[in-house]
Amino acid sequence: MATGARRGSPLTPEEIYATALRLVNEGGVEALSMRKLAAALDVNPMSLYHHVESKTALIDQICLTMAERLEIPVMDGAPWQERLRALGHAYRRLATTYPALWRYVHTHPELIAAREGGLWDVFLPILRAAGVPEEELLRTADVLHGFVTGLIMNQQNGHVGGDRSPEAMDRMFEAAVDLIVAGLAARHSPAG
């Protein structure tokens, strides 16, 4: 139990979110409590409420913190196929780096309903570059996001493939990305 005897620099929202994200990564969202967070920060639990309105607000914020950690390489001028592959792999890395919070986000649709920021700021322009018409853009994005999310979730839960080695899972994910790229190219090519 924290004594609230913390000394040194003042508590910051960034420190709170980073510590909460670490705790969720270690024990899952259900294991996070304001008391456990306060103990990890060595502060009185009530001091957290100066920075965070509630546990729900805290979870919303750490979901955003996780999303901000999506590391997408800058690939200006690269073909859409390369950019899409890079985005897919970055998204999978995020899911495997923060599996508990990533699963939580994907079982709470209200957290991802906006389709803006982070992933979407990169994904939608890639789909436009692939030739997806504006009237099909969000539907196509939702289908592809659902496909990749479902594959990652099934991989994490051990529901796909007999060989569950990391190498086999990598090959399976690469095959999925190949199918997406080929499907988009065939459906939206100028000749199609």
Side-chain angles (χ1 to χ4, degrees):
M1 176 72 69
T3 62
R6 176 187 169 103
R7 298 283 186 257
S9 61
L11 188 61
T12 65
E14 293 75 22
E15 183 182 12
I16 292 169
Y17 304 145
T19 303
L21 185 56
R22 180 181 54 80
L23 292 174
V24 167
N25 217 31
E26 292 170 357
V29 174
E30 300 76 23
L32 178 66
S33 71
M34 297 302 261
R35 286 191 184 281
K36 286 181 185 175
L37 178 58
L41 293 165
D42 194 26
V43 297
N44 182 304
M46 293 309 293
S47 66
L48 294 174
Y49 292 100
H50 294 288
H51 302 278
V52 180
E53 181 180 312
S54 65
K55 181 180 173 183
T56 301
L58 173 64
I59 291 171
D60 288 349
Q61 187 58 51
I62 62 172
C63 288
L64 290 173
T65 300
M66 177 190 67
E68 290 167 357
R69 293 182 178 187
L70 180 66
E71 296 176 9
I72 304 165
V74 176
M75 300 181 71
D76 294 335
W80 68 264
Q81 296 91 333
E82 289 178 31
R83 292 174 19 225
L84 186 61
R85 284 181 191 287
L87 177 60
H89 287 286
Y91 183 67
R92 184 170 179 238
R93 272 191 309 278
L94 184 74
T96 56
T97 302
Y98 304 104
L101 188 58
W102 185 85
R103 279 191 302 274
Y104 179 84
V105 165
H106 288 88
T107 56
H108 292 79
E110 70 278 6
L111 295 173
I112 57 172
R115 290 194 221 107
E116 59 188 31
L119 167 76
W120 301 100
D121 287 350
V122 177
F123 190 28
L124 297 177
I126 291 170
L127 294 179
R128 286 184 184 102
V132 176
E134 210 55 42
E135 64 273 9
E136 293 180 28
L137 192 65
L138 293 181
R139 180 177 55 243
T140 301
D142 285 344
V143 167
L144 296 179
H145 181 259
F147 175 73
V148 171
T149 298
L151 176 60
I152 293 170
M153 199 166 289
N154 280 307
Q155 283 186 331
Q156 288 181 349
N157 293 332
H159 292 297
V160 293
D163 179 358
R164 293 189 179 98
S165 68
E167 297 79 17
M169 294 295 107
D170 290 347
R171 285 191 303 274
M172 183 181 293
F173 188 80
E174 195 60 44
V177 173
D178 288 344
L179 289 169
I180 291 169
V181 168
L184 283 171
R187 183 174 176 126
H188 300 290
S189 68

